[in-house]
Amino acid sequence: MIDEAEILKTLEKVNYPGFSRNIVSFGLIKSVSIEGADVTIKIELATKDPSIPQSIHNEAQEILSTIKGIGRIKIDFDIKNPPEPATGVDANKASLPGVKKIIAVASGKGGVGKSTVAANLALALSLSEGKPSVGLCDCDLYGPSIPLMFGQEEARPMATDQNEIIPIESHGIKIMSMGFLLDDNSPVIVRGPLATRYTQQFLKGCLWGELDYLILDLPPGTGDIQLTIVQSVAVDGAVIVTTPQEMALIDARKASSMFSKVNVPIIGIVENMSYFLCPSDGEKYAIFGEGGGEKESSRLGVPLIGQIPIEMQTREAGDTGNPVALGDSETAKEFSDIAKNVISELS
Ligand code: ADP
């Protein structure tokens, strides 16, 4: 006897193309019907790329046919259009009304400085010509670090009568983070569907107002939160953060291939911890190796939009609520250049 549980268990071996999560845990399976030995599966997708259903179809067929005694396998797709970017005449279709550009900051690995880059990019954008309005949504539910970087660990957002969350404002940036909803000691236990719901609420249930740029600080890797984001809002481009060493680059490659699978353009690569400028001898030391970011950017055909040194002031500034981009150091100038690069790549 074939049963639904066995079918779903088997389909858990099929990953969404480019992601490390499977199609079952993403909630893409809408129904499984079984008649005798024959099975019909309905899958819902939001994509414009025909290779995605094709690849899921082939893999699912192959894996399901290994089930003993299975008969005919039919896989039906319900394909919806992904959200449209908020550009030009399509502005009405913006998935976040009032938000002009949505930029994801991503990395393959944790600890490479993704949140540091997201926070400083948000500030550098807000300080750039014309003083654009900027929001920063910390989508890293499991390790939210944005409240600390903005000195807002104690802040708790209010809600409107319509139950919209009012973001916390700091250094002129509108911020939302899971960190605002947690006590210091509480473990983050949201997984699967609950993580999806939180992410959607942060994006769509927040009173972002009119924003020129909304920066999304993604969790590291290629999991379900990333997919939820690209399926819920129209992301205009992604910035990939990496350190120069091969280990980080391999994962950065996975992150960028994930974005190309869902048709989000890569704006560029930021190489963090590129070198250490020794205060005592003035020499540059390539602690994590040299040229990794450049090699990767030419491999992907996207620009290397910045190189940030590893230095005490960047770490200290991040830990004390005044990110380095607010000052006038060389690193602050580098972030300002990164912001200019992002603006020009997006326009
Ligand atoms: P991720 O978001 O990739 O996990 P974070 O931005 O949280 O990484 O950075 C991890 C740690 O490294 C933090 O303590 C941060 O202050 C520090 N850090 C990040 N970039 C730099 C840098 N360029 N120089 C010094 N410390 C850095």
Side-chain angles (χ1 to χ4, degrees), residues 105-139:
V105 178
S107 70
K109 268 172 87 65
V112 297
K114 171 187 49 61
S115 297
T116 303
V117 170
N120 283 293
L121 171 61
L123 285 164
L125 280 168
S126 75
L127 296 170
S128 67
E129 205 185 319
K131 303 276 179 287
S133 47
V134 181
L136 174 58
C137 186
D138 183 359
C139 303

Side-chain angles (χ1 to χ4, degrees), residues 109-116 145 149 272-273 308-311 314-315:
K109 268 172 87 65
V112 297
K114 171 187 49 61
S115 297
T116 303
S145 43
M149 287 186 188
N272 189 29
M273 310 194 191
I308 307 292
I310 177 163
E311 57 187 0
T314 301
R315 205 263 313 139

